[in-house]
Amino acid sequence: MKTAVIILNYNSENDTIRYVNEIKNYNCIDTIIVVDNNSTNINSFEKIKNLENEKIHVIKSDKNGGYSYGNNYGLRYLENLAEKYDYIVISNPDVEVKENVFESCFKELEENNNIAVVAPKMIDKNGNHIRRSSWKIRTPKIDMINSTRLNEILFYKLFKSGEYTEDDFKQAKLNVEAVSGAFFTIKFEVFKKIRFF
């Protein structure tokens, strides 16, 4: 099983350096790709370039095309490496993830052929569940509720904006319709079939 993590950096070099240093010695990760999404901070790319070694690749996109563009840039780079990867993690640099979380995500994908994407439960610094770490596919009603901040304030309690409940998140595992882009694991073959983001 070959695994890789793609981390998108945009003017967040301190978070990126902290996170890469935190996970670089995790045995369950074979390769780390850091994509600098054409940062504008002075020396941002140069600072993260210092992380580079045999396991860590630091590359720079040709423009800041946003989240999808930057991650696709890293995925295409990874696709061109000689190694063939089974599982990919897409991760923001401002998260903290223990090695056992990576291992659990990889294991879930390895043991379940009918699952393509796995994400851990996301919690804040106080241990509270992050409300929008997963959600239900949007419907016209939910889009209307979320169309303005006022609508969301008025109708959130009534409709919950397509979110899962606290009781849902008490389950050990929960099948969800959508996960946050802050951290998720996916089978690389599936990602290639859907042509990335």
Side-chain angles (χ1 to χ4, degrees):
M1 173 175 69
K2 293 289 284 184
T3 64
V5 179
I6 295 179
I7 302 166
L8 190 61
N9 177 75
Y10 180 73
N11 292 338
S12 55
E13 60 274 7
N14 293 333
D15 282 336
T16 300
I17 291 165
R18 176 206 51 82
Y19 184 47
V20 170
N21 283 327
E22 179 183 303
I23 67 170
K24 68 183 180 184
N25 294 319
Y26 289 2
N27 292 322
C28 63
I29 300 170
D30 296 306
T31 302
I32 299 171
I33 308 290
V34 179
V35 180
D36 182 73
N37 210 13
N38 213 3
S39 293
T40 57
N41 283 354
I42 296 173
N43 298 325
S44 182
F45 178 68
E46 289 75 14
K47 288 176 185 174
I48 60 172
K49 190 74 172 164
N50 288 327
L51 295 167
E52 214 166 34
N53 61 31
E54 288 181 9
K55 183 175 185 172
I56 303 165
H57 304 247
V58 179
I59 59 176
K60 185 173 186 171
S61 63
D62 53 344
K63 66 177 183 179
N64 180 359
Y67 173 88
S68 296
Y69 183 86
N71 279 303
N72 282 343
Y73 197 89
L75 288 161
R76 286 190 194 96
Y77 176 87
L78 189 66
E79 196 174 29
N80 290 322
L81 293 178
E83 299 286 338
K84 298 298 174 206
Y85 292 87
D86 300 297
Y87 307 114
I88 307 300
V89 173
I90 301 292
S91 182
N92 285 354
D94 61 347
V95 298
E96 291 184 26
V97 186
K98 302 290 184 198
E99 185 169 17
N100 67 320
V101 173
F102 282 95
E103 290 169 341
S104 294
C105 291
F106 297 141
K107 183 179 179 188
E108 192 69 31
L109 289 174
E110 185 80 11
E111 293 178 353
N112 294 287
N113 288 329
N114 60 335
I115 296 175
V117 177
V118 173
K121 293 178 186 177
M122 298 174 87
I123 56 172
D124 64 20
K125 292 178 185 177
N126 299 317
N128 299 315
H129 173 257
I130 295 176
R131 195 179 95 184
R132 294 191 174 164
S133 60
S134 62
W135 57 90
K136 297 174 184 175
I137 299 297
R138 304 283 290 251
T139 64
K141 178 173 75 174
I142 292 169
D143 279 341
M144 187 183 242
I145 291 166
N146 287 306
S147 65
T148 69
R149 183 70 180 131
L150 179 61
N151 279 354
E152 190 176 273
I153 291 168
L154 291 174
F155 298 112
Y156 173 73
K157 287 186 178 180
L158 183 61
F159 296 110
K160 296 291 187 191
S161 300
E163 296 175 12
Y164 295 98
T165 66
E166 286 301 318
D167 285 340
D168 290 330
F169 284 106
K170 289 178 183 172
Q171 298 178 49
K173 294 179 184 178
L174 176 64
N175 289 330
V176 298
E177 295 178 16
V179 297
S180 167
F183 184 97
F184 67 89
T185 310
I186 186 168
K187 294 178 180 177
F188 199 32
E189 284 306 312
V190 170
F191 225 172
K192 286 192 246 186
K193 282 179 185 173
I194 61 172
R195 297 186 182 137
F196 304 145
F197 288 100

